[in-house]
Amino acid sequence: MKKFKRYTVTSALPYANGPVHIGHLAGVYIPSDIYTRYLRIKGQDVISVCGSDEHGVPITLKAKKEGITPQQVVDRYHKIIKDSFKEFGIEFDIYSRTSNKIHHETAAEMFRTINEKGGFIEKTTKQYYDTEAKQFLADRYITGTCPHCNYEAAYGDQCEKCGTSLSATELIRPKSAISGAKPSLRETRHWYLPLDKSQAFLEKWILEDHKDWRPLVTGQCKSWFQTGLQPRAVSRDLDWGVPVPAKNAEGKVLYVWFDAPIGYISATKEYTPDWEKYWKNEDTKLVHFIGKDNIVFHCIIFPAMLKSAGDYILPENVPANAFLNLEGNKISTSKNWAVWLHEYLRDFEGQQDALRYALTAAAPESKDNDFTWRDLQAKNNNELTAVFGNFVNRAAVLTQKYYNNKVPQPNAFNQEDEAVFEKLVAIKAKIENNIENYHFRAALKEMMQAARIGNKYLADSEPWKLVKIDPERVKTILYVALQITATLAVLCEPFLPFTAVKLKKILSTNFLNWENAGTKNILPTGHTIGKAELLFAKVEDAQIEAQMKKLSQAKKNNQMENKSIAAQKATISFEDFSKADIRTGTILEATKVPKTKKLLKLLVDTGLDTRTVVSGIAEYYKPEEVLGKKVSILINLAPRKLKGIESQGMILMAEDAEGKLIFITPQGDAKNGTEVN
RNA sequence: UGCGAGGUAGAGCAGUUGGUAGCUCGUUGGGCUCAUAACCCAAAGGUCGCAAGUUCAAAUCUUGCCUCCGCAACCA
């Protein structure tokens, strides 16, 4: 395997239109932090770069909605995100932002470089333009009627009712989702990255040269290759972003997906003038940590960009994670279905490692996973506290009791003692191997195994019994136990940095390093350790219940917003349903019922007969409008007198978004009297 | 609909080139008392999504189906 001299580790730039939640942490930031912390402890030359992604349409929309500038939006979230990362112990060497001057310059320069090499093509297309909001509209921001199923709220890229994928120009009665105005088609010219020309190179690079990538990642790339890569626009008509540095490019900015990954480079530049060795030197290992939604950008598009620009190295690996769900549902920023990092830090002060542990243990490395609060509690209380914390406490307390906090002088090691050291060495090797191959979940498990070995060692050797009959042996036992503890302090650092600090304080040592973990004299005889203190606090039921309550509140709020959609009614049997006799019919006559606001008196041909029905639709329909209308009618409803007129059935109606009643009209040529089933 | 990735004990996950199904937590029983009622030992618990096929032998290979997730060209 290739030997690298230094590492450049990137973590997907969080989008600055909301705070960071546990899905981001489990998918990207915790794995990248484990990886870089590990490399740092081993003394490698590594930089970890990240920053806020601050451009793009959603941010401008949010600003508009709140009546502030996009800059104010990103300033707000950049601060929240940056602060919460720091407090959570995600240790970037630099956390930058794409609204920075240095980023604008770097991104513009990248564009120019590629452009000068003829790496773009220019194309003019027709796109919908919102004359009121004065901007071009992405397909997603156009709604209209689906040409296939007539669903009225279809998006410009897809109809969610019938699932057909659409292009915005197919929509009947298109409407801007931003202003509600009717958009018009306008010509616009854009630069495109001709990915099709890079396909051959990318296919070889990914499928042949990097067979060690995760199946999830390779699979998705394959999927793209099969369809065939197409040119992709790198510019956009918008006033928020990096201006396109070219002639005739007024009002055009670099499209966010082009701009964002360059943020890794500009962050590096901001960090060190010596940035080029991290991006242009073949001895450097570049690793991108991302979520699965970002695979195409980091495995296909960004490499194609880097390649076109020349000089740049390409990623060695892109360990993308799948998604984390929360209590069985997808995490959603807009629905507030999330555990926000800044809120966790407030609600669980000093318990960063509990979340780090739970999220690493449940990391969605190969498939989507579910996070539950009960699981966090169980992992913290039954694993971290019970196994790890308890062992450390046992060793420290025994040392305090028997040796006044001094590491005792051991006698010759017996077979059990030797076995312990052998296991520790093996565990350390497994952790290294797992981390280097991005198996952080497995690495964490191994780390805990070291604590288990400690507990078992104490339980098997029973120093508290032996102290009365063989005090010399107890010295060796406690010596060994303390070596295990010190090894733990080293091995846990990539995963549980706060615990590592505490543990080193308990051992009152700062001379531990990765290389001597698992060795027989990591903590020398005669060294005085500090006072025993608890490493972990338990997570109490009350804390969990408070969080669950918060979530159910979020759920309730969502339901309030979607109030128009009523919950499903109680299940009925087929017999119940078949009692209802619904027929198609035609309205023959309609007259307003005098002295009422709502009622129309209708004469309906039901196929069986002609009958009178009184219906509460007068607010929405004039009598002449409903004449001859095909309707569905429930005919065996018990007759009822309304304003003195006997109503002999009920016209089926639905309510639309504005509360207006609309007829359930049979499609096509249903004869009057046809049964509706 | 197409493509990709999953579906393995109550939960979360391993299972290398096909050869007796494993780990952690939880559950049950026992032991211990140095320790945050923590720790240690043992047991129970699985027709490996379903169906068919290849094979002496399939969680593992082939085919079909069911199901969940993602992507599908301007969605970041």
Side-chain angles (χ1 to χ4, degrees), chain A residues 243-423:
Chain A
V244 173
K247 278 181 190 165
N248 306 319
E250 288 83 41
K252 296 188 194 289
V253 295
L254 296 181
Y255 199 23
V256 268
W257 64 255
F258 182 85
D259 151 26
I262 300 172
Y264 301 141
I265 302 173
S266 32
T268 314
K269 269 190 187 173
E270 191 182 330
Y271 175 66
T272 169
D274 204 13
W275 67 275
E276 286 192 316
K277 72 174 181 187
Y278 291 104
W279 283 96
K280 298 188 173 181
N281 195 316
E282 286 297 328
D283 294 334
T284 302
K285 182 169 180 170
L286 175 61
V287 182
H288 295 310
F289 284 89
I290 57 165
K292 67 175 169 181
D293 52 339
N294 250 320
I295 289 172
V296 65
F297 297 104
H298 290 77
C299 298
I300 293 179
I301 298 175
F302 192 43
M305 285 162 59
L306 293 171
K307 183 86 177 161
S308 307
D311 299 344
Y312 288 92
I313 52 167
L314 300 181
E316 259 317 293
N317 207 322
V318 184
N321 272 349
F323 287 159
L324 190 70
N325 294 327
L326 170 60
E327 302 284 353
N329 292 108
K330 277 189 210 183
I331 292 179
S332 162
T333 301
S334 57
K335 289 182 186 160
N336 195 24
W337 189 255
V339 176
W340 304 104
L341 177 57
H342 65 289
E343 293 187 0
Y344 175 88
L345 291 168
R346 195 189 60 211
D347 296 348
F348 293 82
E349 217 186 320
Q351 292 186 284
Q352 288 93 333
D353 283 349
L355 185 60
R356 289 179 73 111
Y357 183 80
L359 291 180
T360 307
E365 286 178 8
S366 51
K367 61 173 180 202
D368 291 359
N369 256 350
D370 195 29
F371 172 89
T372 65
W373 280 109
R374 288 288 166 205
D375 184 59
L376 173 117
Q377 186 187 29
K379 287 210 162 78
N380 180 73
N381 294 1
N382 307 333
E383 297 182 36
L384 264 190
T385 308
V387 178
F388 190 126
N390 186 43
F391 166 67
V392 170
N393 194 234
R394 297 170 85 182
V397 167
L398 286 173
T399 307
Q400 203 169 304
K401 266 190 191 165
Y402 300 160
Y403 309 112
N404 197 22
N405 285 340
K406 277 202 164 52
V407 179
Q409 169 79 50
N411 294 290
F413 296 132
N414 69 16
Q415 240 179 355
E416 283 77 45
D417 307 334
E418 295 287 358
V420 164
F421 288 114
E422 275 168 33
K423 281 182 200 157

Side-chain angles (χ1 to χ4, degrees), chain A residues 126-156:
Chain A
K126 279 189 178 172
Q127 243 183 53
Y128 272 122
Y129 183 83
D130 183 331
T131 42
E132 240 169 73
K134 293 200 173 63
Q135 68 180 85
F136 281 92
L137 296 166
D139 284 354
R140 194 73 197 177
Y141 293 106
I142 300 165
T143 59
T145 303
C146 171
H148 302 279
C149 71
N150 283 320
Y151 178 58
E152 288 176 20
Y155 288 107

Side-chain angles (χ1 to χ4, degrees), chain A residues 6 142 303 419 460 547 583 604 607 642:
Chain A
R6 69 189 72 75
I142 300 165
D460 289 350
Q547 295 300 328
R583 306 292 177 110
V604 181
L642 292 164

Side-chain angles (χ1 to χ4, degrees), chain A residues 186-242:
Chain A
R186 276 200 195 179
E187 284 203 339
T188 178
R189 198 166 51 94
H190 285 292
W191 286 261
Y192 287 73
L193 188 67
L195 291 171
D196 45 325
K197 288 181 190 160
S198 302
Q199 175 150 357
F201 153 73
L202 288 168
E203 270 192 71
K204 179 185 177 298
W205 175 64
I206 294 173
L207 303 180
E208 287 175 37
D209 303 344
H210 289 94
K211 292 190 175 168
D212 56 329
W213 288 11
R214 290 186 181 169
L216 176 73
V217 177
T218 317
Q220 233 181 81
C221 293
K222 263 190 207 158
S223 171
W224 278 82
F225 293 142
Q226 273 169 25
T227 350
L229 300 179
Q230 300 294 319
R232 238 180 130 109
V234 305
S235 56
R236 190 133 219 242
D237 296 289
L238 198 69
D239 56 4
W240 177 243
V242 179

Side-chain angles (χ1 to χ4, degrees), chain A residues 536-590:
Chain A
F536 304 103
K538 288 214 165 173
V539 171
E540 302 298 335
D541 286 342
Q543 285 177 283
I544 297 303
E545 277 150 23
Q547 295 300 328
M548 297 297 281
K549 211 171 159 186
K550 206 181 203 174
L551 285 175
S552 62
Q553 191 58 47
K555 207 164 224 173
K556 247 182 229 159
N557 290 344
N558 286 330
Q559 278 165 1
M560 298 275 276
E561 279 177 30
N562 299 327
K563 209 172 163 188
S564 50
I565 298 170
Q568 183 179 320
K569 290 178 187 168
T571 303
I572 59 165
S573 66
F574 179 74
E575 283 77 15
D576 285 342
F577 171 73
S578 56
K579 284 179 195 161
D581 194 347
I582 303 170
R583 306 292 177 110
T584 57
T586 306
I587 298 175
L588 302 175
E589 282 177 37

